[in-house]
Amino acid sequence: ADPVMSARVHAVLVARSGSTSLARLLRALDALAAQTRQPDALTIVACGSSTALRGSARVAQAAEAVIETRASTTLAAAVALALPRVADDAALWILTEDCAPAPAALEQLAGALERSPAASIAAPKLLSDVDEHRIASFGQSMTRLGRAVDPARGELDQGQLDGQDDTLGADVRGLLVRAGREI
């Protein structure tokens, strides 16, 4: 039988320490709270010491767990730290503190996986946090020499690419990975 999208989603939000990180993290948490399809669980991985983050009641209330690690921890290593908390039947939604998903983002990503049983991941269109009308990332391609490129980066977003389904690669921020699949 073809695999279907898990009804459960575990969000892993990787946050970096710094003067603007807590504000961006709170913005990301507000965006998660506004989702039309809520994640079933949230783990925050805090990269770098942050007294403000540890002392934030909003962070403590929103997350099932907060894992602290070194500031130099890569995004991949931070997500790997959270994986033991993710149930085998739960899809993994990878976020960073600079992500503020649109209210229907998770619902649309989960729907994309439901419509494409062979797909392992669904990736969102990312808009610039400086100019919300500009595309930051919408899939990646490759040059003939093997260099990854994001052909839509910087384009004015007028919905011109919204019907595109397949791409060679994607920015990791916002990826939804089907349950039971290798990352």
Side-chain angles (χ1 to χ4, degrees):
D2 287 329
V4 295
M5 177 61 204
S6 170
R8 296 172 39 87
V9 173
H10 192 121
V12 174
L13 197 158
V14 178
R16 302 274 170 202
S17 64
S19 59
T20 60
S21 291
L22 182 59
R24 292 189 323 195
L25 175 60
L26 295 176
R27 181 175 162 248
L29 291 175
D30 287 344
L32 286 175
Q35 291 297 301
T36 56
R37 195 279 187 218
Q38 291 288 308
D40 299 287
L42 170 64
T43 298
I44 296 174
V45 181
C47 299
S49 177
S50 174
T51 305
L53 186 131
R54 281 194 298 271
S56 172
R58 283 184 53 206
V59 171
Q61 290 172 344
E64 177 179 282
V66 177
I67 300 169
E68 293 188 46
T69 188
R70 297 179 323 274
S72 61
T73 303
T74 65
L75 178 63
V79 171
L81 288 172
L83 287 180
R85 298 186 172 282
V86 179
D88 290 341
D89 67 338
L92 174 66
W93 194 18
I94 302 171
L95 301 165
T96 57
E97 90 274 352
D98 60 346
C99 292
L106 181 54
E107 182 178 356
Q108 290 173 353
L109 290 168
L113 287 183
E114 287 173 6
R115 288 186 303 278
S116 302
S120 296
I121 62 172
K125 170 175 54 179
L126 299 176
L127 299 177
S128 169
D129 57 349
V130 176
D131 179 357
E132 65 187 33
H133 302 292
R134 297 263 172 215
I135 297 172
S137 181
F138 193 75
Q140 295 177 339
S141 188
M142 190 173 287
T143 67
R144 289 193 284 175
L145 299 175
R147 188 174 60 90
V149 294
D150 192 336
R153 181 180 305 277
E155 279 189 31
L156 185 61
D157 180 25
Q158 299 175 329
Q160 70 272 30
L161 301 172
D162 289 357
Q164 181 178 327
D165 282 339
D166 292 329
T167 185
L168 182 60
D171 190 306
V172 70
R173 297 171 297 167
L175 285 182
L176 182 62
V177 182
R178 186 184 299 279
R181 299 293 178 114
E182 294 297 320
I183 299 176

